[in-house]
Structures are given as C-alpha cells and as structure tokens.
C-alpha cells in the first residue's frame, strides 16, 4: 500500500516541487485546491495526471475534515497561505484568516479525524522580522514586521501548541527565502530575473525596485522541499530552520542577474518609493546547523547557480 500525502498549496512553487519529490518516492499525492473560476495549474501541469486534486479550503474546516476522512493521508503538508508580504499590508484580515487561522483549522481537522497523521507547517523567516540576533536559529526571538509575519508566528505557535497538547506529530520548517524558475512574478528574485529577460528581449527599458540594500538568505526551492519531507520521516516532531547561511543584497541580486544577460544593472534599475515596505526587514540569515546534523539536510544549489538558472528560464520562456 503506497503512502499517501495531502498537500495544501499544491499549485504554488513549493507545492509543485514537493509533489514531484513525493511521487518519485512512490507516494499517492492528493492536492487540496480552492474552488475558483480560474484555476492556475501551470506549475503542476506536467504531473497533473498523476495527482488526485480535490476541492477544499483552509477557510472551511468542514471541507478539511471531509478530505481527511475521504482520503486518509498519513502525511499532511500545509503550504497554502496568503504568502506575499506586500499584499498582507493591503489585506491583513484575509492574511490572518488563511495564514494563521487556516493552520488551526487543519490541525483541528487532523485531531478530529486521525491524530496519527504527520503534519508539516510552512513557517517563515519573516517571523524573525526585526532580528534580535544574527544569524537566526530555532531559539531566536520572533519580532515580525508585517501582517504576514505576524500570521506566520500564530501558525507556528499553534502548531507547537497542538503538538504539545494533543501529542500530534506536528513539525514546522522555518524556511528562509527560497526561489526557483517557478517563483511568482511578484517576488523580488523573479521580478528581477523576469525583468532582465524582458530588457534583454527589448520589451522593457527599466526595472523599478524598492530597497536595494535589503539582505536575504536565498536558497533553491527544490532543495528546501526535501527538508520538509525529511522532517516527517523522523520519529520525533520538531522545528527546523532551513537556510543557506549566506546573505546577499537585492543590489547583488541585480548585479548577478543582469550580468547573466551581459547587461549592467546600473543602466536599467530605478528606485521606486512605491515598493518600499511600511516596516522593512533588513537582514535575514539563517543558521541551519540543527537541520544539517539532525536531518542530514544541506543546501546543494548556491545563490549564483540559482539566479543563473532563473534568468536562463525566463529568457527561454520569452523566446517561446
């Protein structure tokens, strides 16, 4: 009998890579999708035939209970969220409903239907926000700087709470920024690599960005979903920081991406105040020592290879 896993947010960047990984491990993969008039399955179209896509919503606990009862997964990966930080300022209540309370609804559904289900929660480095120490590990104090970060803190602590109160196998991965050619175009890495491709093709003459000095710890999404799976294979649930431990500024990101297309970023990048956040997170860099030693996980794709891969994919996509 193959293992069965449920992924929320299966149509997102991480969901698509995780689905590929689980299929390769011989799992049956169920993807939870919200009902909407336009369904974007672009990231999973190449494996769609091998997935079971079901209707359900983190806003509706009854739908979650029904899916768990009908499909009886042994593992649940909760990757669904309103995950764009900038949008969380515009839609703070919606962000709280999906990104915070959505976690509680899923945990509660697991508690009701089958407390043996192993649960993974997608926590975020945005929880550290105004960082209290550098680098950040599992014991670093949290100080979120956006409605998204605040919602993620709630989701993180409710996972700990259900683990301790109901003895659930519930783990959180505190993932630092992770990117790929499948990253949404609104995120800065993809905005830059896609912008480079458009400028190279003569479709644009400038790229408008916010704070170029902001620094992040950027890894490759395909490496990071492997860590999620490893967490649920352990006997004991726990929380893990997943990161490269190296930091790069948005300015360096621009430099590297434009250089991949033989361009000089200084000729094309314009600072636009509209893209500066109300409260900025300046320096996030993770310490993944615990994941390295306990899970045997390590990041295999470095920043430069990642950006090159993304620029090449965007140039190729535009040629098509």
């Amino acid at each position: 009998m193959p293992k069965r896993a449920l992924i929320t947010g299966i149509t997102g960047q991480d969901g698509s890579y995780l689905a590929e990984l689980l299929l390769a491990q011989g799992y049956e993969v169920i993807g939870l999708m919200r009902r909407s008039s336009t369904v974007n399955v672009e990231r999973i179209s190449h494996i769609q035939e091998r997935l079971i896509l079901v209707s359900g919503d983190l806003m509706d606990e009854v739908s979650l209970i029904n899916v768990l009862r009908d499909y009886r997964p042994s593992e649940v990966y909760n990757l669904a969220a309103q995950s764009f930080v900038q949008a969380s300022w515009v839609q703070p209540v919606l962000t709280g409903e999906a990104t915070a309370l959505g976690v509680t609804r899923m945990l509660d559904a697991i508690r009701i239907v089958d407390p043996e289900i192993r649960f993974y929660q997608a926590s975020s480095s945005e929880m550290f926000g105004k960082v209290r120490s550098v680098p950040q590990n599992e014991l670093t104090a949290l100080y979120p700087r956006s409605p998204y970060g605040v919602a993620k803190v709630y989701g993180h602590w409710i996972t700990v709470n259900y683990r301790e109160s109901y003895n659930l196998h519930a783990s959180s991965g505190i993932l630092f920024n992770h990117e790929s050619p499948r990253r949404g175009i609104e995120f800065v890495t993809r905005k830059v690599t896609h912008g480079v491709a458009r400028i190279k093709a003569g479709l644009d003459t400038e790229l408008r960005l916010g704070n170029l000095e902001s620094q992040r710890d950027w890894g490759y999404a395909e490496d990071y979903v492997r860590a999620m799976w490893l967490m649920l294979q352990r006997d004991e649930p726990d929380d893990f920081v997943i990161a490269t431990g190296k930091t790069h500024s948005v300015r360096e990101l621009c430099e590297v991406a434009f250089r991949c297309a033989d361009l000089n970023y200084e000729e094309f990048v314009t600072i636009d105040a509209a893209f500066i956040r109300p409260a900025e997170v300046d320096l996030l860099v993770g310490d993944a020592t615990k994941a390295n030693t306990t899970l045997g996980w390590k990041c295999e794709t470095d920043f430069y290879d990642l950006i090159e891969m993304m620029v090449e994919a965007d140039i190729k996509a535009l040629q098509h």
Side-chain angles (χ1 to χ4, degrees):
M1 177 89 175
K3 275 176 124 178
R4 194 176 274 179
L6 173 70
I7 303 174
T8 74
I10 194 165
T11 58
Q13 167 188 263
D14 293 7
S16 65
Y17 283 117
L18 179 62
E20 286 173 351
L21 172 76
L22 295 176
L23 288 170
Q25 301 277 1
Y27 281 70
E28 275 183 7
V29 179
I30 298 123
L32 189 78
M33 291 180 62
R34 277 180 311 181
R35 282 209 181 282
S36 71
S37 51
T38 55
V39 178
N40 181 6
V41 291
E42 188 188 341
R43 294 186 184 95
I44 54 168
S45 57
H46 62 297
I47 51 171
Q48 200 173 339
E49 304 289 296
R50 301 168 63 198
L51 303 171
I52 302 165
L53 298 177
V54 299
S55 184
D57 198 319
L58 289 178
M59 304 284 201
D60 175 25
E61 190 172 331
V62 173
S63 73
L64 303 179
I65 290 169
N66 288 337
V67 167
L68 294 179
R69 279 196 179 134
D70 291 347
Y71 293 95
R72 295 286 169 177
S74 57
E75 297 173 3
V76 169
Y77 295 86
N78 184 41
L79 311 185
Q82 189 302 97
S83 65
F84 186 42
V85 176
Q86 197 76 30
S88 76
W89 295 102
V90 185
Q91 297 182 304
V93 176
L94 176 73
T95 301
E97 281 288 349
T99 308
L101 291 176
V103 186
T104 317
R105 294 185 191 104
M106 181 59 90
L107 284 164
D108 215 44
I110 288 170
R111 179 184 68 80
I112 291 164
V113 176
D114 179 6
E116 293 302 304
I117 292 171
R118 296 186 173 197
F119 175 77
Y120 171 83
Q121 167 58 12
S123 287
S124 165
S125 59
E126 287 286 331
M127 303 191 307
F128 296 121
K130 189 174 180 179
V131 297
R132 314 319 279 160
S133 58
V134 179
Q136 294 90 48
N137 64 23
E138 294 78 9
L139 301 175
T140 303
L142 306 177
Y143 196 142
R145 296 272 279 169
S146 66
Y148 169 76
V150 172
K152 278 291 184 188
V153 170
Y154 178 99
H156 181 77
W157 280 112
I158 201 71
T159 301
V160 173
N161 191 262
Y162 269 66
R163 175 167 77 216
E164 294 176 353
S165 305
Y166 301 113
N167 205 24
L168 296 187
H169 192 298
S171 296
S172 286
I174 306 170
L175 270 56
F176 279 66
N177 295 58
H178 46 289
E179 319 297 317
S180 75
R182 298 180 196 171
R183 189 58 144 148
I185 213 129
E186 68 273 23
F187 292 89
V188 70
T189 44
R190 183 73 199 294
K191 183 178 175 180
V192 168
T193 62
H194 184 254
V196 167
R198 287 185 62 84
I199 289 167
K200 185 71 175 171
L203 298 171
D204 280 335
T205 55
E206 69 166 359
L207 175 63
R208 304 181 80 83
L209 296 170
N211 180 9
L212 295 190
E213 307 319 317
S214 188
Q215 295 181 48
R216 291 290 183 277
D217 180 331
W218 279 300
Y220 178 35
E222 196 170 352
D223 287 340
Y224 285 40
V225 300
R226 198 172 65 252
M228 301 175 185
W229 177 74
L230 287 169
M231 284 177 218
L232 296 203
Q233 308 321 302
R234 294 183 74 241
D235 292 337
E236 291 299 316
D238 207 346
D239 305 324
F240 293 91
V241 162
I242 305 298
T244 70
K246 298 190 175 88
T247 178
H248 303 273
S249 66
V250 176
R251 187 180 297 281
E252 189 186 354
L253 162 65
C254 292
E255 215 172 299
V256 173
F258 277 89
R259 198 166 56 227
C260 289
D262 301 317
L263 299 169
N264 178 359
Y265 84 98
E266 290 175 324
E267 293 172 26
F268 303 100
V269 172
T270 308
I271 306 294
D272 186 338
F275 297 115
I276 308 269
R277 293 180 189 174
E280 184 57 84
V281 174
D282 295 314
L283 175 63
L284 290 175
V285 55
D287 172 6
T289 304
K290 184 175 166 185
N292 303 152
T293 53
T294 312
L295 300 175
W297 176 84
K298 65 178 195 296
C299 188
E300 287 169 9
T301 308
D302 80 2
F303 173 76
Y304 304 99
D305 292 340
L306 169 64
I307 301 307
E308 192 176 333
M309 176 203 307
M310 290 174 69
V311 171
E312 280 174 9
D314 277 325
I315 287 173
K316 202 168 155 191
L318 272 188
Q319 285 165 352
H320 283 305

